[in-house]
Amino acid sequence: MSREARLIAETGPCKGREFVIPANGSARVGRSSSNDIALTDPSVSRFHCRIFFKAGKGLWLADLSSSNQTLVNGKTAQEMTIVALDRIAIGDSTLKVISDGSDPAPAAPPASPGSEVDLGLAATNAKLKNANHNIPLILLLTALAVMSVLVVWVFFVRKQQTAPTVIRTNDPGLDEFELRYEKVDGNVSNIFQCVLIIRGTQASIEFHDIADRKHIRKPMIDIDRRVMSELLSSIKRSGVMTLPKTDYVEASPDTYNLRDLSVLLGTNSVRVKVLNASEPPELESVRKILDAFGENEFNIRSLTYPREELIRLANEKRQLGIKLYEGREHSRGNLFNAGRSLSEAIVFLETVDPKPDFYQNLVATHDVCERELRGLLKDLWLQADLATKVKDWQEAANVLSKLCDTVPDPSDEDYKKAEQQLTDAQRRLKR
């Protein structure tokens, strides 16, 4: 019987946080706040990987076509089983598996009737037994009460000392937190501007793309308080609040690249403005965090980047998708992940016009990948249904296991259906 799995962040912005995956459950990991395990790490993909229990096979990890890949104990992982003490590298963050959900060592057998349980009070009990029976009853009761309090107190303190680290979600600093971040990428052919404003637990964003005539404004929306608390903590850790109020400006006749950050936190404030110059590392760190925050919380990634950046991102996803497709014989999940990566590449290019030269090839490769995946799933389901009808439960379990491996996403309907039937087939085999 599987139990809950537990992981802890050893490095990264969420260092010290502990995460629990319920028995037979799953958790998606990424920088988006909609993930089960949300890491405020700009080097982590929006949906980076998934950690889940595979029926009858323990705890597993599947990479979700992440940009920077997922490493388990220093080795690239697409889909594999993970066990206690494994370390999972996701961007700049490392998660250590504390428990993989496997059954713990059997507990000690219960004491037989009449046996004594030593709570460390044997000496005290002996003294009480040999004590003068004329001691007033009130003193005896008082001594026992004091010892009980001491035992409870020791247990409570030990529990507090070993309790997992909990991130504070009600940071009072949020009530005095304001931020304005402006990014401008300008050249002789176009000007792209994006402005993010934060006040406490609310945020708004707007951007303007002059060449493409895009002008989008998203009004103030409420953001999850935990997300905002972690964002504020990341800004504090970056050291940007200690920077001198200095402008970094260099002349450039053909470009206008601006990064302008203003932060107000209680009585502390800072403004850092960089125009056509190298930015200090503290600003670079915060800028990446804020870019990721804007993309995740407003879900407008394809709209907040200039055309050239969207093409670059789409090409990266396209190349990853092709690589996974070419390696589909090496791992069953590669075909599924290839289709997902190619789909993301197409989404990046939705607002790009005219399309880049590789767009038609991208769409054609995606269609081939999807047709092949649908054909493979159809064939596997036919095999599973036939084995089930003739009650060949071993064959049914084998095919259904292949189905789960082919669609390595527990949130996918094919995976859910296959896992449910696999559990039933395995139960029948045990009869």
Side-chain angles (χ1 to χ4, degrees):
M1 180 180 67
S2 64
R3 301 175 183 270
E4 66 182 20
R6 301 175 74 87
L7 302 93
I8 189 169
E10 287 192 324
T11 64
C14 297
K15 180 178 180 181
R17 280 189 60 194
E18 188 172 315
F19 307 98
V20 176
I21 302 175
N24 300 317
S26 66
R28 189 172 61 189
V29 186
R31 71 172 186 270
S32 170
S33 61
S34 63
N35 286 289
D36 304 292
I37 299 178
L39 304 175
T40 53
D41 182 341
S43 60
V44 172
S45 295
R46 191 162 179 258
F47 302 109
H48 199 105
C49 67
R50 181 176 290 276
I51 302 172
F52 59 96
F53 284 98
K54 183 178 288 190
K57 295 185 178 181
L59 190 65
W60 282 65
L61 176 143
D63 184 84
L64 299 179
S65 302
S66 60
S67 299
N68 295 329
Q69 299 184 320
T70 305
L71 303 179
V72 175
N73 299 328
K75 297 181 180 180
T76 303
Q78 288 297 329
E79 181 178 349
M80 63 179 292
T81 183
I82 53 177
V83 297
L85 302 184
D86 279 348
R87 284 178 168 80
I88 306 166
I90 304 172
D92 293 332
S93 299
T94 302
L95 302 180
K96 178 183 177 181
V97 181
I98 302 174
S99 169
D100 56 22
S102 57
D103 286 338
S112 58
S115 63
E116 295 184 359
V117 179
D118 184 4
L119 297 179
L121 303 177
T124 303
N125 289 337
K127 290 180 180 179
L128 287 176
K129 288 180 180 179
N130 298 325
N132 191 324
H133 295 290
N134 294 326
I135 296 177
L137 181 61
I138 186 64
L139 293 179
L140 176 60
L141 293 177
T142 301
L144 289 173
V146 170
M147 286 187 290
S148 299
V149 171
L150 286 174
V151 170
V152 172
W153 180 82
V154 170
F155 173 80
F156 178 78
V157 170
R158 288 175 61 86
K159 185 176 181 181
Q160 290 295 98
Q161 290 173 342
T162 59
T165 302
V166 178
I167 298 275
R168 291 176 59 193
T169 58
N170 190 24
D171 188 342
L174 289 176
D175 299 330
E176 303 175 282
F177 174 44
E178 292 188 19
L179 178 146
R180 183 184 186 277
Y181 166 56
E182 180 180 7
K183 175 175 70 174
V184 179
D185 292 316
N187 53 46
V188 294
S189 60
N190 189 26
I191 295 178
F192 177 88
Q193 178 194 36
C194 178
V195 179
L196 172 68
I197 296 175
I198 296 175
R199 296 192 184 97
T201 58
Q202 292 188 318
S204 69
I205 197 169
E206 67 175 88
F207 73 91
H208 307 276
D209 191 329
I210 304 303
D212 292 341
R213 297 181 181 181
K214 296 177 185 175
H215 303 282
I216 304 295
R217 291 182 176 85
K218 297 282 186 178
M220 282 285 181
I221 61 172
D222 292 320
I223 307 294
D224 183 87
R225 193 171 183 89
R226 192 187 74 172
V227 173
M228 296 304 296
S229 181
E230 292 178 350
L231 173 67
L232 178 56
S233 296
S234 298
I235 292 174
K236 290 177 179 179
R237 288 194 300 268
S238 71
V240 74
M241 298 299 295
T242 63
L243 287 175
K245 297 180 181 180
T246 304
D247 291 346
Y248 302 81
V249 180
E250 293 182 5
S252 178
D254 300 323
T255 60
Y256 186 87
N257 294 325
L258 173 70
R259 304 292 183 264
D260 191 355
L261 174 70
S262 299
V263 182
L264 175 64
L265 184 56
T267 58
N268 297 325
S269 65
V270 67
R271 181 179 181 185
V272 186
K273 180 179 178 182
V274 177
L275 178 61
N276 300 326
S278 298
E279 57 189 336
E282 295 86 352
L283 176 61
E284 181 183 13
S285 174
V286 172
R287 174 177 59 78
K288 290 180 179 179
I289 292 171
L290 293 175
D291 285 344
F293 172 83
E295 295 163 11
N296 297 338
E297 300 307 321
F298 291 92
N299 197 27
I300 52 174
R301 185 173 190 179
S302 64
L303 299 177
T304 57
Y305 279 106
R307 181 178 187 273
E308 295 77 12
E309 180 68 3
L310 288 172
I311 293 175
R312 185 189 68 79
L313 293 169
N315 197 32
E316 284 184 358
K317 286 293 183 181
R318 178 182 72 92
Q319 292 175 355
L320 176 60
I322 292 174
K323 181 179 178 181
L324 289 168
Y325 180 75
E326 292 175 345
R328 62 192 183 281
E329 300 298 331
H330 303 299
S331 174
R332 289 187 175 276
N334 278 356
L335 184 60
F336 177 87
N337 289 326
R340 177 166 289 183
S341 185
L342 293 169
S343 295
E344 291 180 12
I346 292 174
V347 170
F348 277 126
L349 299 176
E350 282 180 342
T351 61
V352 173
D353 193 24
K355 306 296 185 189
D357 294 339
F358 63 80
Y359 182 74
Q360 294 301 326
N361 177 264
L362 166 64
V363 174
T365 306
H366 173 265
D367 291 345
V368 169
C369 184
E370 287 298 303
R371 283 197 299 271
E372 188 171 332
L373 178 63
R374 286 196 298 270
L376 178 59
L377 291 176
K378 181 179 179 181
D379 183 57
L380 288 172
W381 276 120
L382 287 174
Q383 295 179 42
D385 291 343
L386 178 60
T388 301
K389 286 179 181 179
V390 300
K391 299 183 178 180
D392 185 348
W393 302 118
Q394 184 60 62
E395 176 64 14
N398 292 338
V399 177
L400 290 166
S401 180
K402 291 179 181 178
L403 271 162
C404 290
D405 292 339
T406 302
V407 186
D409 182 358
S411 66
D412 187 272
E413 292 304 318
D414 278 297
Y415 183 96
K416 292 179 180 178
K417 180 180 176 183
E419 185 180 40
Q420 183 179 11
Q421 293 189 17
L422 175 60
T423 301
D424 180 65
Q426 291 174 334
R427 178 174 55 83
R428 292 176 182 274
L429 283 171
K430 293 178 180 179
R431 289 180 178 178

